[in-house]
Amino acid sequence: MMSIDALPEPKLLHLFDVLYDTRSVTRTAEQLGQSQPTISLWLGKLREQLGDPLFVRTPTGMAPTPQAEALITPCREVLESLRRLTAWEIGFDPASAQRRFRLGLSDASHITLLPRILEHLRRHAPGIRLEVARIDGNTERALETGEVDLAVGFVPWLGGGIYQQMLFPQDWICLISPRHPRIRKTLPLKTYVREGHVFVSAGTGQKLLEAALTRSNIERQIVLELPGFLGLGAVIDSTDLIATLPRQIGETLASTHGLVVHACPFPIETFAVKQHWHARYHQDPGNRWLRSTLLELFQYSKNSLAADLSAR
């Protein structure tokens, strides 16, 4: 591990972080408010100090070397530590704060939650930089280390030391095209079984759907399998397929693409979308502000907050 004395200065670490994301010297210069010659000079210093080219020019941009891939995580951990050290304050003023928050979000939340979160931040906290991470098996560790500030979604596997707070409940709906040739006002079970379906593998709630299908002894005719929700609305609108989805993402797609919403013709276990954070950051002013912001934007009931807040 590199000693403290051998660490590059913060501006070079920041350059490394931004260039890794943009893969472009031009865009990096724009984000850092520097000229391209200055960025090239800094990159030269960083290469010399770390003894590696770090980024190699390719037709698709500045590609990181294996050494850069290995260094990006410790680099960001150092930057995060520096940020927390320099940004520490008793209070948190969102209007003037300069801080980066990382949110763990599901694929569906990119469509349903992220636009509203970003709109609020641009209006009330213009100096905040928001980054989005996937919710996966690494989420618990990322919350513990501070790599992720909040994880929002259905994450039942998170363990001890993690606080949780309910935002809203989710049930299930079915989406079809308004021009579906065989389905009109209702969607009976026999029709549901007979028709073709789209299976979306993304989302932790899919296990609840699969369990419900098994309990009801239903075998769907899967015509299309998608890894996420991108393009799903257009697919349903232009075909005779059915999509079975959690209500929030389903109603969002229905509103965007003019789709028809039907109740599911068989019971599926409901679940709750919650925000999760580690006990280490429970009293952090910025984290507390971010949690209160999401609660304000998405809470389902002001009268049930106390019962939903607990550390597992």
Side-chain angles (χ1 to χ4, degrees), residues 191-244:
T191 302
Y192 182 92
V193 174
R194 184 177 63 240
E195 296 292 332
H197 294 259
V198 179
F199 170 66
V200 181
S201 57
T204 53
Q206 289 300 318
K207 292 183 179 180
L208 300 179
L209 171 58
E210 294 303 312
L213 290 167
T214 300
R215 284 194 304 270
S216 299
N217 197 26
I218 297 172
E219 184 174 352
R220 294 185 297 175
Q221 300 181 45
I222 303 298
V223 176
L224 173 66
E225 181 172 346
L226 294 175
F229 298 96
L230 182 64
L232 176 61
V235 167
I236 298 300
D237 183 45
S238 60
T239 67
D240 61 352
L241 301 179
I242 300 173
T244 307

Side-chain angles (χ1 to χ4, degrees), residues 78-88 99-100 149:
V78 170
L79 285 172
E80 182 65 16
S81 297
L82 291 172
R83 181 191 64 75
R84 292 187 182 279
L85 181 63
T86 57
W88 175 255
R99 179 165 173 175
R100 176 176 66 180
D149 295 283

Side-chain angles (χ1 to χ4, degrees), residues 119-177:
E119 178 187 15
H120 183 91
L121 294 184
R122 295 306 299 154
R123 182 180 303 169
H124 300 285
I128 296 299
R129 172 182 171 183
L130 191 63
E131 294 185 5
V132 176
R134 295 183 63 86
I135 289 180
D136 54 26
N138 188 52
T139 297
E140 185 173 335
R141 187 201 65 81
L143 287 169
E144 180 180 358
T145 62
E147 183 182 344
V148 167
D149 295 283
L150 286 180
V152 182
F154 176 53
V155 201
W157 64 83
L158 293 181
I162 304 296
Y163 279 84
Q164 58 175 332
Q165 189 172 41
M166 182 172 177
L167 296 178
F168 53 88
Q170 286 269 59
D171 60 349
W172 297 77
I173 60 175
C174 295
L175 297 184
I176 66 167
S177 168

